[in-house]
Amino acid sequence: VACGDDAERAELVYDSMAAAGVRPRQSTYTTLASVYKNRGDYRGACGAIKRLTAAGHTPTAVEYGVLIKAIAKDAALPRGERLEQAELLFHQAEAAGAVSQLLHVRLMEVYQLLGERRRADTLVARLRAEGLELHPAVRSEYEKLAWREPGSSAVSDF
């Protein structure tokens, strides 16, 4: 059932599954979190992931990515909180061994959206130091940041 950003509808589907005795899979919770992400509701997405862990599932890079993207989209959160939460989630994913290129992309999206060039530079330097090739989406978000600054040479650094 596609719910887009209709969290109420998604919750009804989730509740009807539970009422019918259907045990939600990890993907059920991830889909629910994605609905909240689509509407820019970080706290709602967190609630879905808390249910995921309460049900005995372990968040993967996909769930961490949904949460970081929800942070990027949630304009109601103060800027500082968005940065802090995005980086905290990224570090939690690292500690859990759940980092993927997807999470690098999501974190760079937050940096680009909030104009955090210094943090973006640090992430790119870290990826290069680890011998990792920049994912095209990381590069794209980084270039958007570079274009914001007159006279920037970051784009030519690739």
Side-chain angles (χ1 to χ4, degrees):
V1 176
C3 296
D5 67 354
D6 188 347
E8 292 77 20
R9 182 171 176 211
E11 290 288 351
L12 285 173
V13 170
Y14 176 84
D15 291 343
S16 66
M17 288 174 64
V22 176
R23 184 173 183 263
R25 297 184 312 220
Q26 181 146 348
S27 60
T28 305
Y29 297 105
T30 306
T31 300
L32 186 57
S34 293
V35 170
Y36 284 104
K37 171 205 66 161
N38 291 344
R39 68 188 259 175
D41 182 351
Y42 170 63
R43 286 178 174 66
C46 281
I49 300 304
K50 285 179 183 173
R51 287 192 252 177
L52 175 142
T53 58
H57 301 288
T58 302
T60 67
V62 172
E63 287 81 26
Y64 284 108
V66 167
L67 290 174
I68 292 171
K69 183 72 172 188
I71 289 168
K73 294 182 80 167
D74 193 335
L77 290 175
R79 183 180 188 284
E81 184 178 341
R82 290 163 86 182
L83 283 170
E84 182 181 314
Q85 288 298 313
E87 289 178 338
L88 176 66
L89 284 165
F90 185 84
H91 294 306
Q92 286 174 349
E94 280 184 316
V99 170
S100 70
Q101 288 188 345
L102 168 70
L103 291 185
H104 297 132
V105 172
R106 296 296 176 242
L107 190 57
M108 188 62 78
E109 287 172 342
V110 172
Y111 292 157
Q112 191 279 128
L113 182 70
L114 299 176
E116 283 292 328
R117 175 63 188 269
R118 184 184 54 78
R119 286 185 161 127
D121 289 344
T122 301
L123 178 60
V124 168
R126 179 179 170 196
L127 294 173
R128 287 180 172 158
E130 292 174 6
L132 298 175
E133 178 129 354
L134 292 182
H135 186 279
V138 169
R139 182 178 299 207
S140 174
E141 293 300 317
Y142 187 63
E143 288 174 345
K144 288 177 194 174
L145 256 175
W147 292 331
R148 286 179 164 183
E149 298 179 7
S152 173
S153 64
V155 176
S156 63
D157 290 343
F158 291 113

